[in-house]
Amino acid sequence: MSAAVAPAPARAGRSGRAWRIWRIIPLYQTIAYRGRFFLAPFMLGVQVYIYYLLWTAVYAGRGPVAGLDVDQAVGYATLAILIGRIRWTNRMVSKDSLPQRTREGTIIYWFLRPISPGRYYMFRAIGDMGYGAAWALLGYLVVLATGVVRPPASAAVGAVFAVSLVLGQMILYYLGQLVDLATFWLVSNTGLTRMYGFVQDLLSGVFVPLWFLPGWLLTTASVLPFAATINDPISLYVGRIPLSDAPATLVRELCWVVALAVLTKFVWSRAARRVTSQGG
């Protein structure tokens, strides 16, 4: 029995190197799926270009609509696409994803490692989001250089946007984690994942700026965490939310981060009691 347990120093050493887990998704995307590595920027460029044509056509010969002029609308739509792609990578192709492991029954190995499954999930997500963020940053530099998106109005606006963006990505991280954790109760969360992706894009402002939504839908979006993930950071960037309202916006995002972090920790504790293998 004692031989099966690694000595404390060895286990501590392995746990200390756990941060290298972040490399799983970037390596998976660039080595195992090289076609996607080259296809992703092409698809992103096409989508940005189509949205640029769409919004310039909508605003042709018009002044500001819903509080946005044509430059703000184009900037909003372009940034929404770029930010929305930070978690664009298809994590389901990885055989080490939480839903895949749960369906196979091999999720038990996540609970036997020297680090907790929640921490392992976090490091994987950091790599996932970092990979997507690299493409988003590259795209941002391109649209900034080509004049599709204007730079922030001031350094203060840029700083507030950056903080809001990080908080928004943390909210997305916890929301996505909750969807993945639902696999412990649903066995397969494919349907839930698709529904979540649609709702997230709709209520966060990826499809269309939230101010163009019907009043009841805009109200729904404002009381849910989705708007804080993409709409709020971009609204600060383009000036739809004035800098004077930035503190309240950041506090609201921070509250969602804390609330979702507590909820996620609780769900992990409940999920650990439901580790099962499909089919026996």
Side-chain angles (χ1 to χ4, degrees), residues 54-77 150 208-213 218 231 235 238-240:
L54 171 65
W55 286 107
T56 51
V58 169
Y59 274 83
R62 298 183 180 180
V65 178
L68 296 175
D69 59 29
V70 61
D71 290 332
Q72 288 175 306
V74 170
Y76 184 108
R150 295 182 297 186
V208 65
L210 294 187
W211 299 280
F212 290 94
L213 297 180
L218 178 59
N231 175 75
S235 297
V238 301
R240 187 59 172 74

Side-chain angles (χ1 to χ4, degrees), residues 148-220:
V148 175
V149 174
R150 295 182 297 186
S154 65
V157 171
V160 168
F161 163 74
V163 174
S164 180
L165 177 61
V166 171
L167 291 174
Q169 290 305 304
M170 293 176 68
I171 295 173
L172 281 176
Y173 162 72
Y174 285 117
L175 289 173
Q177 190 171 177
L178 289 171
V179 172
D180 281 349
L181 284 170
T183 311
F184 284 97
W185 286 267
L186 302 177
V187 179
S188 174
N189 71 337
T190 302
L192 178 62
T193 300
R194 291 175 179 173
M195 181 181 70
Y196 165 75
F198 172 77
V199 173
Q200 165 63 41
D201 286 347
L202 175 64
L203 299 184
S204 67
V206 172
F207 289 154
V208 65
L210 294 187
W211 299 280
F212 290 94
L213 297 180
W216 65 270
L217 194 54
L218 178 59
T219 301
T220 301

Side-chain angles (χ1 to χ4, degrees), residues 81-263:
I81 294 172
L82 295 176
I83 295 174
R85 298 289 77 83
I86 290 180
R87 289 200 62 125
W88 196 14
T89 52
N90 186 359
R91 290 173 290 127
M92 292 301 295
V93 301
S94 173
K95 295 185 180 299
D96 195 41
S97 67
L98 191 153
Q100 184 74 18
R101 288 291 191 185
T102 304
R103 286 196 298 271
E104 294 176 351
T106 53
I107 190 64
I108 185 64
Y109 296 112
W110 279 35
F111 291 85
L112 297 178
R113 288 170 174 155
I115 63 173
S116 68
R119 190 179 179 200
Y120 179 77
Y121 185 97
M122 179 190 69
F123 282 125
R124 289 185 76 257
I126 289 174
D128 185 0
M129 299 175 76
Y131 177 81
W135 283 117
L137 178 59
L138 178 61
Y140 173 72
L141 295 176
V142 171
V143 297
L144 197 63
T146 55
V148 175
V149 174
R150 295 182 297 186
S154 65
V157 171
V160 168
F161 163 74
V163 174
S164 180
L165 177 61
V166 171
L167 291 174
Q169 290 305 304
M170 293 176 68
I171 295 173
L172 281 176
Y173 162 72
Y174 285 117
L175 289 173
Q177 190 171 177
L178 289 171
V179 172
D180 281 349
L181 284 170
T183 311
F184 284 97
W185 286 267
L186 302 177
V187 179
S188 174
N189 71 337
T190 302
L192 178 62
T193 300
R194 291 175 179 173
M195 181 181 70
Y196 165 75
F198 172 77
V199 173
Q200 165 63 41
D201 286 347
L202 175 64
L203 299 184
S204 67
V206 172
F207 289 154
V208 65
L210 294 187
W211 299 280
F212 290 94
L213 297 180
W216 65 270
L217 194 54
L218 178 59
T219 301
T220 301
S222 64
V223 299
L224 295 175
F226 303 111
T229 62
I230 293 178
N231 175 75
D232 288 356
I234 299 178
S235 297
L236 288 166
Y237 186 99
V238 301
R240 187 59 172 74
I241 297 179
L243 195 60
S244 59
D245 292 340
T249 301
L250 297 180
V251 168
R252 183 171 62 252
E253 287 183 292
L254 183 59
C255 289
W256 275 117
V257 170
V258 173
L260 291 171
V262 173
L263 177 59

Side-chain angles (χ1 to χ4, degrees), residues 1-68:
M1 187 67 163
S2 60
V5 179
R11 295 181 64 188
R14 290 196 296 270
S15 180
R17 296 191 296 269
W19 62 270
R20 294 186 296 181
I21 295 170
W22 72 268
R23 299 179 301 174
I24 292 177
I25 296 299
L27 290 175
Y28 208 86
Q29 296 293 324
T30 56
I31 297 178
Y33 285 85
R34 292 183 179 178
R36 181 179 300 156
F37 178 80
F38 296 101
L39 183 62
F42 172 76
M43 295 175 59
L44 186 61
V46 170
Q47 190 174 6
V48 168
Y49 180 65
I50 291 176
Y51 268 64
Y52 172 79
L53 294 179
L54 171 65
W55 286 107
T56 51
V58 169
Y59 274 83
R62 298 183 180 180
V65 178
L68 296 175

